[in-house]
Amino acid sequence: MGYKEVYSAWLADPEAFWMDAAKAIDWVKAPSKALNDENAPLYEWFADGVVNTCYNAVDRHVENGRADQAAIIYDSPITDSKETITYAQLKDRVAQLGGALQAQGITKGDRVIIYMSMTPEAIIAMLACSRIGAIHSVVFGGFAANELATRIDDATPKAIIASSCGIEPGRVVEYKPLLDEAIELSRHKPETCIIFQRPQAVASMVAGRDHDWDAVQEGVAPAPCVDVNGNDPVYILYTSGTTGQPKGVVRHTGGHLVALNWTMKNVYGMDPGDVFWAASDVGWVVGHSYICYAPLIHGNTTIVFEGKPVGTPDAGTFWRVIEEHKVRALFTAPTAFRAIKRVDPEGAFVKKYDLSNLNTLFLAGERADPDTIQWAQDQLNVPVIDHWWQTETGYTMVGNPMGIEHMPVKLGSPTVPMPGFDVRILSDEGEELPAGELGAIAVKLPLPPGTLPTLWNAEARFKSSYLTAFEGYYETGDAGIKDEDGYLYIMARTDDVINVAGHRLSTGAMEEVLASHPDVAECAVIGVSDQLKGQLPMGFLCLSSGVDRTEADIVAECVRLMREKIGPVAAFKLACVVDRLPKTRSGKILRATMVKIADGQEFKMPATIDDPAILDEIATALAKMGYPAK
């Protein structure tokens, strides 16, 4: 069956579609039905099934002939270390840590915050929680103390599992002092902290509260898998909210297992035993879904990579990992490829490695500009597949279903909605818009299994954030268009659609134009306030290495290019060259913060920012253009 047949089968009978997908999971007690809609618009999936996530991700593979297959390959160019963990070894290590958590009084339903760097221990900690029915909440390692404190207060964890430090190129980030400070700041106090000591920075311990990772596991009985219900949470993952109070996205156990398992073959084209590499971090949703859970549930080998696309040690690191570990599919953010392309535009490093095992490159996390996709295709000679989803959904909403049918790629489009997602483009009034018109992207309820059923302890906020803008729909917060073939184009966050003298323009479309300039490696467009036109677009350009032309010439060419491609209505005249753009650690450009600096407004330092010094560089560049306007 091709995509259209599969999608139509889902649309005609969602219940049968998901009950069939559920057969691939090992249930303690199979669910009697897929959807529970008694509390609509709050929906639950596989609510009366009984199951264990860790059993499906680990134990069943040990029992069914994969005991000696690699489950995790750890590759850390930053510490020059590697480790392979088989499914049998993983089971023992997870059961042992699970036993240690139980010995510390952690039981089913308790929350455990995980604050760790990119080592296999982070995955082991997640699986140990799901093994004993505890609910984990992973907070990105090195996150600011006050941000960690708000998450401690919201999730009220009984325990926190942390690394002593994280390692960045050229510096060691000590996590333990941040953790100690967060616990001091928080109203809720965890009873237990388990610290994984890394030799690069050994943490001092608080007597009675802190336990060493190894010592706490000595002599405890390994934990068996604890039965949980299909609608019990497996985790909470916080995503930054607009109000500063983070939103705790909840993931229910049953739907999470069924949906993620389904995606590995259907979306990513992976067979059990293949090596899958999501070059992300466990602190993000990609790390939850595609470093930890989906590959392991499906019987794949997952790669835990501690390094950067460039500088650890060079722009060939990704290619070395692919060659060495025989990676079948790579999933990363476009920003990683832009970084590689900026340093190695000719692809000299690509040619040094044998990439014959690589079948597909998947990009997500931000808009994949056509220029980057084109470069990746030229260099790697494999399909480069953009796909679109969110922390809230946990997996692909719109993509190219490589295991069902490799659909023709249209540059700039993540392709088509996946089964489970009935995606519409709506006007502000909630009317469906015709093909080619820019509007709000919304998904008809119910959302499919594995997506968020609610926010942690914040049902009213869940409804107001996602369900009130358009009745009967989930509001994605993104704006886009659908073409006559049903392909979707995600143009911007709805906040990034700017209004220039009454014309609604997408900053994403403008960025696409700037990125097409041969000397521009990366760029961002924001809307700044203007008394005459309401808003004006402003461009920030990062140049490729080795460009020796004047900045003024490049800016002038970009202004001309914008006039040609978008037209004079864009009123694009403001642009400057900067060395780097302010980003979150997952590679998203902090456009909203840049807007506040340009408009001279107060702003809160974004918790997820990679390097705060970049904001000063942006302020200096803005000042040269006369912003904020006096």
Side-chain angles (χ1 to χ4, degrees):
M1 283 205 302
Y3 162 75
K4 282 210 165 88
E5 290 75 23
V6 173
Y7 191 82
S8 303
W10 161 72
L11 205 51
D13 193 345
E15 183 72 19
F17 181 91
W18 291 117
M19 282 302 274
D20 187 55
K23 289 176 187 159
I25 295 305
D26 284 272
W27 301 86
V28 177
K29 173 178 158 276
S32 64
K33 59 176 185 174
L35 180 66
N36 176 350
D37 56 3
E38 285 158 25
N39 296 324
L42 302 175
Y43 299 92
E44 293 184 340
W45 293 90
F46 311 112
D48 67 351
V50 178
V51 72
N52 181 277
T53 298
C54 182
Y55 178 83
N56 278 278
V58 185
D59 300 49
R60 67 168 176 167
H61 304 308
V62 176
E63 293 163 15
N64 298 324
R66 295 193 183 277
D68 298 328
Q69 179 193 311
I72 296 173
I73 296 172
Y74 170 54
D75 188 308
S76 172
I78 222 154
T79 60
D80 196 25
S81 49
K82 290 174 195 169
E83 180 185 12
T84 297
I85 301 170
T86 66
Y87 272 102
Q89 291 166 331
L90 183 61
K91 180 188 166 185
D92 291 345
R93 288 172 68 170
V94 169
Q96 202 57 31
L97 181 62
L101 288 168
Q102 287 178 328
Q104 293 296 322
I106 310 298
T107 58
K108 178 170 159 177
D110 286 340
R111 272 80 60 214
V112 176
I113 279 184
I114 298 173
Y115 185 65
M116 299 186 84
S117 48
M118 275 295 286
T119 67
E121 286 76 13
I123 306 295
I124 289 165
M126 293 165 78
L127 293 166
C129 290
S130 66
R131 186 174 194 84
I132 65 170
I135 302 166
H136 65 69
S137 186
V138 181
V139 177
F140 193 94
F143 229 36
N146 60 320
E147 292 292 335
L148 179 53
T150 59
R151 286 153 176 77
I152 292 171
D153 281 333
D154 195 68
T156 60
K158 199 180 271 186
I160 296 181
I161 307 176
S163 307
S164 61
C165 66
I167 300 142
E168 296 284 328
R171 67 193 173 113
V172 171
V173 181
E174 293 194 33
Y175 291 0
K176 184 61 168 43
L178 295 167
L179 174 61
D180 291 340
E181 190 189 336
I183 293 172
E184 215 162 279
L185 290 169
S186 64
R187 292 185 304 279
H188 171 84
K189 309 294 180 193
E191 294 167 19
T192 304
C193 293
I194 295 175
I195 308 299
F196 173 63
Q197 296 281 18
R198 301 193 70 181
Q200 291 81 3
V202 175
S204 56
M205 308 287 265
V206 175
R209 184 196 75 189
D210 297 350
H211 301 268
D212 175 81
W213 171 278
D214 294 314
V216 81
Q217 299 187 50
E218 276 168 23
V220 302
C225 293
V226 172
D227 294 353
V228 303
N229 294 330
N231 61 353
D232 283 334
V234 62
Y235 70 74
I236 304 163
L237 176 56
Y238 287 95
T239 176
S240 24
T242 41
T243 60
Q245 179 58 31
K247 295 187 285 202
V249 169
V250 173
R251 204 75 69 203
H252 279 178
T253 301
H256 178 246
L257 283 163
V258 172
L260 288 188
N261 184 71
W262 185 88
T263 63
M264 284 306 289
K265 177 65 181 167
N266 292 288
V267 177
Y268 297 102
M270 301 298 282
D271 292 316
D274 287 345
V275 180
F276 188 78
W277 178 22
S280 178
D281 188 283
V282 287
W284 309 122
V285 71
V286 174
H288 283 62
S289 295
Y290 293 105
I291 299 175
C292 182
Y293 287 114
L296 296 177
I297 293 163
H298 195 248
N300 291 99
T301 298
T302 187
I303 290 190
V304 173
F305 173 75
E306 188 179 32
K308 301 278 184 209
V310 295
T312 60
D314 53 40
T317 305
F318 272 28
W319 322 135
R320 174 193 64 76
V321 172
I322 291 167
E323 175 185 277
E324 201 171 309
H325 306 304
K326 301 186 167 41
V327 172
R328 188 68 73 209
L330 167 63
F331 173 171
T332 190
T335 189
F337 266 69
R338 284 197 285 268
I340 296 168
K341 172 176 161 238
R342 190 177 183 184
V343 175
D344 184 20
E346 301 308 311
F349 279 104
V350 184
K351 299 172 185 67
K352 294 181 186 175
Y353 297 93
D354 170 9
L355 305 181
S356 56
N357 283 292
L358 186 71
N359 282 354
T360 328
L361 167 66
F362 294 93
L363 299 173
E366 39 160 345
R367 294 190 67 249
D369 54 290
D371 215 46
T372 300
I373 293 179
Q374 200 74 63
W375 184 84
Q377 276 173 353
D378 294 347
Q379 296 299 333
L380 302 179
N381 293 315
V382 298
V384 177
I385 304 298
D386 182 18
H387 61 321
W388 173 68
W389 47 290
Q390 301 175 319
T391 302
E392 288 85 352
T393 67
Y395 62 98
T396 310
M397 284 193 275
V398 175
N400 198 326
M402 296 302 283
I404 298 172
E405 175 187 355
H406 180 188
M407 317 257 304
V409 168
K410 295 188 185 187
L411 283 182
S413 169
T415 314
V416 289
M418 292 297 96
F421 296 95
D422 181 354
V423 180
R424 314 280 181 97
I425 307 291
L426 305 179
S427 69
D428 292 345
E429 292 70 48
E431 300 294 319
E432 201 167 343
L433 291 169
E437 279 196 36
L438 181 69
I441 305 173
V443 182
K444 202 165 185 326
L445 295 175
L447 289 178
T451 57
L452 82 171
T454 187
L455 294 172
W456 182 253
N457 286 339
E459 193 178 287
R461 188 175 181 195
F462 169 68
K463 289 178 175 169
S464 65
S465 297
Y466 303 107
L467 308 182
T468 49
F470 306 108
E471 201 180 332
Y473 290 90
Y474 163 82
E475 181 197 3
T476 66
D478 278 310
I481 56 176
K482 229 186 215 185
D483 72 9
E484 54 292 339
D485 299 325
Y487 278 58
L488 228 87
Y489 293 78
I490 319 305
M491 301 315 290
R493 293 294 294 168
T494 37
D495 316 342
D496 291 334
V497 172
I498 62 173
N499 197 317
V500 180
H503 298 280
R504 279 167 61 101
L505 298 169
S506 148
T507 53
M510 295 189 196
E511 286 172 5
E512 221 161 86
V513 171
L514 296 179
S516 69
H517 188 288
D519 296 334
V520 174
E522 191 167 25
C523 61
V525 173
I526 61 170
V528 297
S529 300
D530 180 75
Q531 280 185 320
L532 183 64
K533 292 181 184 278
Q535 281 179 302
L536 282 176
M538 178 185 283
F540 296 83
L541 316 168
C542 299
L543 305 183
S544 297
S545 48
V547 172
D548 53 4
R549 307 174 52 232
T550 71
E551 294 181 2
D553 283 353
I554 294 167
V555 166
E557 286 163 14
C558 285
V559 168
R560 262 204 309 281
L561 207 55
M562 194 75 84
R563 207 182 159 87
E564 278 164 33
K565 297 277 196 278
I566 304 257
V569 335
F572 183 82
K573 296 183 183 68
L574 298 166
C576 62
V577 172
V578 291
D579 194 37
R580 49 203 189 140
L581 296 168
K583 291 179 184 175
T584 65
R585 290 171 168 184
S586 64
K588 288 188 169 59
I589 296 168
L590 292 160
R591 295 180 183 81
T593 307
M594 293 166 77
V595 170
K596 288 200 162 114
I597 297 171
D599 288 347
Q601 293 173 1
E602 288 289 305
F603 68 91
K604 180 172 166 254
M605 180 66 70
T608 50
I609 191 163
D610 195 24
D611 183 352
I614 302 178
L615 293 179
D616 298 332
E617 297 166 20
I618 295 297
T620 306
L622 283 162
K624 287 182 184 156
M625 291 190 287
Y627 284 82
K630 300 291 178 281

